[in-house]
Amino acid sequence: MKALGFAEIPFLSITAMVADAIVKGAGVHLLGIETTGNQNLMVKLQGDVASVDAALAIAERRARDLGSEALVSCLPRPDTALAPLINSPN
């Protein structure tokens, strides 16, 4: 399994702008955007480790430019047991 990236960002409009910047600026595949049970939404990404790291840096920078914050994390080589969690909505 390739690297997985997660970015939690508040508000739909900011999340959409951040997701747009991510897919335009890094060679990653957008797996989806989900609610997290609070005001945040989670952007799920997949790609090689370097691309996911670059995408998460873009997410942090774009969110900050929009007056917000992105909480990001990268799983470099996740275990295949996580596949059901990644491929199903919350």
Side-chain angles (χ1 to χ4, degrees):
M1 184 180 288
K2 295 182 177 185
L4 296 173
F6 303 96
E8 283 193 50
I9 306 152
F11 309 113
L12 179 60
S13 58
I14 293 173
T15 302
M17 288 187 275
V18 169
D20 182 60
I22 289 170
V23 296
K24 288 179 178 175
V28 295
H29 177 69
L30 181 65
L31 296 175
I33 299 174
E34 299 179 3
T35 61
T36 61
N38 55 24
Q39 70 181 8
N40 291 343
L41 292 108
M42 180 173 32
V43 178
K44 298 189 303 185
L45 313 164
Q46 185 176 37
D48 62 73
V49 175
S51 296
V52 170
D53 282 340
L56 296 176
I58 290 169
E60 288 177 314
R61 187 171 50 252
R62 185 66 177 130
R64 190 172 44 252
D65 291 346
L66 294 167
S68 189
E69 182 180 7
L71 304 173
V72 301
S73 59
C74 177
L75 294 171
R77 286 169 293 286
D79 191 278
T80 56
L82 292 178
L85 173 68
I86 302 308
N87 297 318
S88 64
N90 60 353

